[in-house]
Amino acid sequence: MALLIILILLAVIKFMAIYIIFADEIKRIKDSDPAAKSAVEVLLLYPGLHALVAYRISHQLWVWKVPFFPRWLSQYARFWTGIEIHPGAQIGKSFFIDHGMGVVIGETAIIGDNVLLYQGVTLGGTGKETGKRHPTLGNNVVVGGGAKILGNITIGDNSYIGANAVVIKNVPANSTVVGIPGRITKQDGRRIDMELAHMQVSDPVMENMAKLLGRIKTLEAKTGCEAPKGESDVDFTI
């Protein structure tokens, strides 16, 4: 009985320590995820937070050049959470991985403050190059589900990477990127605030298609030409 009480007390102390140390991350999760009902729920049930706790420990051991154990801890966390964060990566404050399954963050990746990743995101390399070979994400970046950001490239502050985009080139600040390969849409220097509204991400391909269709209609009106009978432009309406 005494041993059981000691174990319970140790567990309570551990969770209290995590709650205090990761207060910013817990608040970020509660603010970003409407499904998060309480801090206790986040603390106990969110794999993104669990993976981050394991990462913070393994990263410090990595900095201290402890052999083997940092990688073992990261793989152990991957087994339980489905999230693989190399202990050599550098991650800022208020980091949130929503759902998290399938997220991979490479050894030389650098992530700024207040960054949000959804499930299936990869911050990876492009081959067997050495040195800095993984992406750098600025502050306030949102990366949609399934997106792949590859190579030693930089994603500027306040940018949004759309779901399933594949990004292999630098992205300036305040941009939206969609498609394969990723195409950039500027956002007029304004911070993007679409963390939970993926349907609002603009599509530059369809925007250009709509512009082209408008120019064709203008030419038809000026030349007196008409569209072939039975054809409709409704499918190109955005």
Side-chain angles (χ1 to χ4, degrees):
M1 179 62 71
L3 179 60
L4 179 60
I5 293 174
I6 292 173
L7 291 175
I8 292 174
L9 286 174
L10 288 175
V12 171
I13 292 171
K14 180 182 75 172
F15 283 114
M16 287 300 297
I18 294 173
Y19 179 79
I20 294 170
I21 296 171
F22 292 87
D24 288 343
E25 285 74 15
I26 292 173
K27 183 180 184 301
R28 174 75 196 283
I29 293 171
K30 288 181 63 182
D31 291 344
S32 300
D33 188 356
K37 306 303 182 184
S38 68
V40 173
E41 182 176 305
V42 172
L43 194 61
L44 295 176
L45 303 178
Y46 273 64
L49 179 63
H50 300 164
L52 185 60
V53 171
Y55 158 76
R56 296 295 187 198
I57 298 171
S58 66
H59 178 68
Q60 189 58 58
L61 295 173
W62 181 270
V63 171
W64 290 340
K65 301 188 184 303
V66 175
F68 181 76
F69 189 74
R71 289 301 308 275
W72 175 86
L73 183 56
S74 70
Q75 294 302 303
Y76 180 78
R78 174 178 179 266
F79 176 80
W80 287 107
T81 66
I83 299 168
E84 181 174 345
I85 307 176
H86 194 286
Q90 301 177 42
I91 300 177
K93 299 180 295 183
S94 298
F95 179 57
F96 177 28
I97 301 176
D98 196 8
H99 300 291
M101 182 62 70
V103 168
V104 177
I105 299 175
E107 177 184 4
T108 61
I110 300 174
I111 299 174
D113 297 336
N114 200 39
V115 170
L116 170 60
L117 307 184
Y118 285 90
Q119 68 277 2
V121 167
T122 298
L123 306 182
T126 57
K128 294 184 177 181
E129 66 271 22
T130 58
K132 182 71 169 73
R133 60 190 186 279
H134 297 106
T136 296
L137 274 57
N139 301 323
N140 308 310
V141 171
V142 178
V143 184
K148 315 300 177 187
I149 306 177
L150 307 175
N152 181 21
I153 61 175
T154 299
I155 309 300
D157 294 348
N158 310 316
S159 291
Y160 189 108
I161 309 302
N164 295 313
V166 176
V167 186
I168 55 175
K169 295 181 179 180
N170 291 332
V171 174
N174 307 302
S175 299
T176 294
V177 176
V178 298
I180 304 174
R183 300 177 179 87
I184 298 172
T185 300
K186 293 290 182 67
Q187 295 293 296
D188 300 326
R190 292 181 288 107
R191 176 179 174 180
I192 301 164
D193 189 16
M194 294 185 272
E195 292 185 355
L196 297 175
H198 298 288
M199 293 301 292
Q200 297 179 24
V201 178
S202 56
D203 185 341
V205 176
M206 287 305 297
E207 288 177 355
N208 288 331
M209 186 73 74
K211 291 177 182 178
L212 181 60
L213 184 61
R215 295 176 66 178
I216 291 174
K217 286 184 175 181
T218 300
L219 288 173
E220 288 177 345
K222 287 184 176 180
T223 60
C225 296
E226 295 183 358
K229 187 176 181 180
E231 289 192 5
S232 172
D233 298 330
V234 67
D235 291 337
F236 296 97
T237 302
I238 297 179

